[in-house]
Amino acid sequence: MPETKKILVLEDDGLLAMDMEDFLIDEGYAVLGPFSTITRALEALDKSEVDFAIVDLNLNGMFSFPVIDALQARGIPLIVCSGYAELPEIKARLSGLPLLPKPWNAARLSSLIESVFV
Amino acid sequence: MRLGEFSKDADTPVPPLPDSPNGSPAYSGETRIGNREVMANSRFMQSVLAASDDCIKILSLEGKLLFMSEGGQRVMEVEDFDALRGCPWPDFWAGAGLAEAQASIAAAVAGRSSRFLAAANTAKGTPKFWDVKVSPIFGADGQPETILSVSRDITELKRSEDEQRLLAQELRHRVKNILMLVRVIANQTIRTDVPAETAREKFSARLMALAESQDRLTSTNGARAELHALLDAVSTTHGGGRLHFSGPKLELNSRCTLAMAMALHELATNAMKYGALSNENGHVEVTWRVVEVAEKGSQFHFTWTEDGGPPVQQPSSTGFGSRLIEKALAGYFLGAARIDYRPGGLFFELEAPMDALTREDT
C-alpha cells in the first residue's frame, strides 16, 4: 500500500476549510491542519513533515506570504488558493505558483494536485 | 411674470444665444430692436440666470472669472463675488478636476465645447460634485472671445449612485457567501454512507434554517441580524416553549449571522433528537453577556445549557454539527468554542472578541 501523502492546509474560513479537508481525505490524502493563521501554520511546518501545501492567500486581510516563502525555502510544492489571484501586483509576487481561484471547484483542484504534486 | 411681459412685447426674434452652434455673433440682433426690447431682454436674461441653480460663469480666455450668476453664487456659497472676480477658475479645482478644468479652457480657446464630472469645494469649503460644461463664446470676428462655464451640482445624485454601488457589491458578496455555505452543507449532508432519504431531509432542514436566518436580517442594508431574533427563530421552530434565552441586545455581521444561525439549528436539532428537547421535561437555557477582560477588551460570552433530558453520551464520531460549531463557528467569531457532553445535559460555550461580531468582512 502506498504511503499516504500529507497536505498542509491554510484556510481561515472555517466552512471552506472543512469542505477542503473532507475533499482531500476522500481523495486519499492526510491533512495537516486546516490552520487559520500564519503563526499556527509556521509552527506546524517546523514540527511536522509535509509533502504538499494548499495555502489561502488572504487570511482575514493578511497575506500569507510568510508561509508561502517558508514552503518555498523548504522546497515543498504548493497551490495558492485565492479570490485575489487576479490582481496583477499580487500575481507578480506569486511568481508562477499554481493558482486555484475561489470559490474552488473539486475538478479543478484535483487536476491541479495531479499536475503539481504527483 | 417677467417672461409673460417679455413674450407679449417681443415681436422680433430672440437674438441668438451666446453659444449658438453656428457661431454667429452673439448679440448682432441688438441694433435692430428697440430700447424697450433690449431692457426687457436683459431683464429676462437676468431673471433666467438668477432662477437657475446651475452655476453659470463667464471666464476670460485666460480662465479668469468675469461673471457668476446669482443662482451660481448661491450654490457655490459665494457671499461677495467681487472678491473672486479675476481669480483663475481652475484654482477652484484640485486633482483630476484641476486637469479637466485646464483642458476644458484650452479646448474652449481652440473653439471646442467640453464636459467633465469632478469634485470641488464651494467657497465655504462644502464638498460638492459637479457636472461641468465649458463652451467658447464667439466674438463678431468668429473667434472665441470669452468662455461660458455651466456647473450643475450633482452631489446628491453621485451620493445615491455610490450608495447603490456599495449595496450591489455587498449583495454580491452575501450571495457568494450563502452559495458557498450551501455547497458545504450539500457536501457535508449528501454522503455515500447516508441513505438518500435521510440526506434529503437533513439537507432540506438545513437550507430552511439558512432561509430562516435570512428572514431575521434587519438593519438598513439587510446584512445584520439581532441575536435575539435568531434565537427567537430557533425557539419558535424547535423549542416548543422549552428553550429560553436572555442577553443584551446585540447585532451580528452577515458572516457571524450565518454561522450562528447554522450552529443554533444544529444544536436545536440535536436537542430534539437526543437531548433536552427529546423528552417531556427537559429544557434549554441560552444566555449571553459582554464582559470586559483585561488585555482582551470586550468579550462576547455565549452559553447553551441543556437540562432534564435523557442521560447524555459522548458521540462516537464527530458529525457535521459538532464540527461546524467547534471549528467553523469559532473561526467566524475569531474565538473559541467548546461542546461538553455533560451527563446531565449538553453544554456549549463560545467566547469571542466583540470586535469580530460586528466588523464587516473585507
Side-chain angles (χ1 to χ4, degrees):
Chain A
M1 195 174 148
E3 196 193 336
T4 308
K5 299 282 189 190
K6 197 191 265 181
I7 304 188
L8 178 144
V9 175
L10 176 59
E11 165 63 66
D12 69 319
D13 187 306
L15 285 166
L16 275 187
M18 212 156 116
D19 203 26
M20 183 168 289
E21 183 184 13
D22 287 349
F23 171 79
L24 293 172
I25 290 169
D26 285 351
E27 290 280 292
Y29 298 101
V31 171
L32 183 64
F35 302 104
S36 60
T37 65
I38 290 170
T39 320
R40 297 258 176 84
L42 287 176
E43 278 168 14
L45 206 51
D46 275 339
K47 281 185 225 146
S48 327
E49 292 288 314
V50 291
D51 297 291
F52 325 119
I54 298 174
V55 175
D56 180 23
L57 185 59
N58 188 322
L59 304 166
N60 237 307
M62 300 235 310
F63 286 113
S64 54
F65 287 112
V67 177
I68 294 174
D69 294 344
L71 288 163
Q72 288 188 307
R74 287 168 170 78
I76 298 168
L78 76 149
I79 290 171
V80 178
C81 183
S82 171
Y84 289 75
E86 302 80 27
L87 287 178
E89 60 268 33
I90 301 293
K91 213 168 181 173
R93 281 194 67 181
L94 293 172
S95 58
L97 283 171
L99 297 178
L100 179 67
K102 274 169 106 169
W104 61 275
N105 78 61
R108 182 87 181 260
L109 179 56
S110 260
S111 71
L112 257 186
I113 290 176
E114 293 259 320
S115 67
V116 176
F117 299 155
V118 182
Chain B
M1 288 302 284
R2 285 189 178 182
L3 180 61
E5 275 168 43
F6 174 76
S7 337
K8 204 165 53 189
D9 290 346
D11 43 9
T12 43
V14 177
L17 287 172
D19 59 347
S20 65
N22 58 12
S24 64
Y27 300 109
S28 62
E30 278 181 12
T31 50
R32 284 187 277 108
I33 54 178
N35 250 347
R36 228 172 112 221
E37 281 79 12
V38 171
M39 293 291 286
N41 190 11
S42 145
R43 274 208 315 278
F44 169 70
M45 288 306 288
Q46 264 174 19
S47 58
V48 167
L49 287 176
S52 171
D53 279 334
D54 290 348
C55 182
I56 301 166
K57 299 164 293 293
I58 304 292
L59 315 175
S60 70
L61 292 180
E62 295 79 41
K64 288 182 175 156
L65 276 170
L66 303 178
F67 166 84
M68 185 184 283
S69 62
E70 225 179 288
Q73 295 182 33
R74 207 162 51 233
V75 290
M76 270 302 286
E77 302 182 308
V78 172
E79 275 175 3
D80 175 18
F81 178 68
D82 286 335
L84 294 181
R85 198 189 304 277
C87 289
W89 173 64
D91 286 2
F92 289 90
W93 303 90
L98 176 61
E100 293 273 22
Q102 284 165 340
S104 70
I105 287 175
V109 169
R112 292 190 313 272
S113 294
S114 60
R115 187 176 167 192
F116 66 91
L117 304 177
N121 293 348
T122 65
K124 288 188 176 163
T126 313
K128 298 249 183 194
F129 203 81
W130 308 91
D131 178 351
V132 188
K133 177 137 196 242
V134 178
S135 331
I137 300 174
F138 296 97
D141 59 355
Q143 292 302 308
E145 200 174 70
T146 48
I147 298 170
L148 173 73
S149 153
V150 181
S151 310
R152 175 161 298 176
D153 178 2
I154 55 163
T155 313
E156 272 307 299
L157 184 70
K158 179 81 167 45
R159 198 189 51 76
S160 85
E161 272 177 16
D162 287 350
E163 209 167 78
Q164 288 293 320
R165 199 173 306 125
L166 267 178
L167 276 177
Q169 209 176 327
E170 169 65 23
L171 190 62
R172 265 201 304 277
H173 204 75
R174 278 172 53 206
V175 168
K176 214 168 138 183
N177 276 345
I178 289 176
L179 288 179
M180 189 274 294
L181 188 52
V182 169
R183 185 177 80 171
V184 174
I185 293 171
N187 284 347
Q188 294 292 331
T189 313
I190 304 159
R191 304 191 68 85
T192 45
D193 55 350
V194 178
E197 186 55 21
T198 312
R200 197 185 62 80
E201 271 170 28
K202 278 192 167 180
F203 183 66
S204 171
R206 283 169 174 159
L207 282 195
M208 285 315 290
L210 195 58
E212 183 73 31
S213 77
Q214 293 302 295
D215 281 346
R216 305 285 161 159
L217 292 174
T218 53
S219 88
T220 44
N221 67 359
R224 292 167 164 265
E226 277 278 337
L227 186 50
H228 271 124
L230 293 183
L231 274 144
D232 194 42
V234 175
S235 152
T236 310
T237 51
H238 297 78
R242 291 190 284 138
L243 191 158
H244 312 113
F245 55 90
S246 66
K249 193 174 151 75
L250 219 138
E251 248 189 5
L252 303 179
N253 66 25
S254 55
R255 274 164 53 99
C256 286
T257 296
L258 285 179
M260 183 54 103
M262 294 308 297
L264 289 175
H265 169 75
E266 296 302 324
L267 283 167
T269 310
N270 184 73
M272 283 184 82
K273 228 169 164 183
Y274 313 105
L277 302 178
S278 68
N279 64 8
E280 298 290 306
N281 321 310
H283 57 99
V284 181
E285 299 299 324
V286 178
T287 59
W288 65 92
R289 59 205 165 94
V290 180
V291 285
E292 288 301 320
V293 179
E295 284 168 28
K296 280 181 163 175
S298 294
Q299 293 280 307
F300 170 67
H301 190 236
F302 178 96
T303 59
W304 169 290
T305 313
E306 296 185 24
D307 189 35
V312 173
Q313 279 169 8
Q314 178 91 27
S316 53
S317 68
T318 48
F320 170 60
S322 58
R323 288 174 73 210
L324 171 93
I325 290 163
E326 288 188 309
K327 285 190 174 177
L329 180 72
Y332 280 26
F333 279 76
L334 303 179
R338 176 173 75 90
I339 298 176
D340 193 354
Y341 297 91
R342 295 176 180 171
L346 182 145
F347 174 77
F348 160 71
E349 71 177 334
L350 169 72
E351 248 189 283
M354 273 303 289
D355 198 43
L357 274 64
T358 48
R359 189 181 54 185
E360 278 313 314
D361 31 291
T362 44

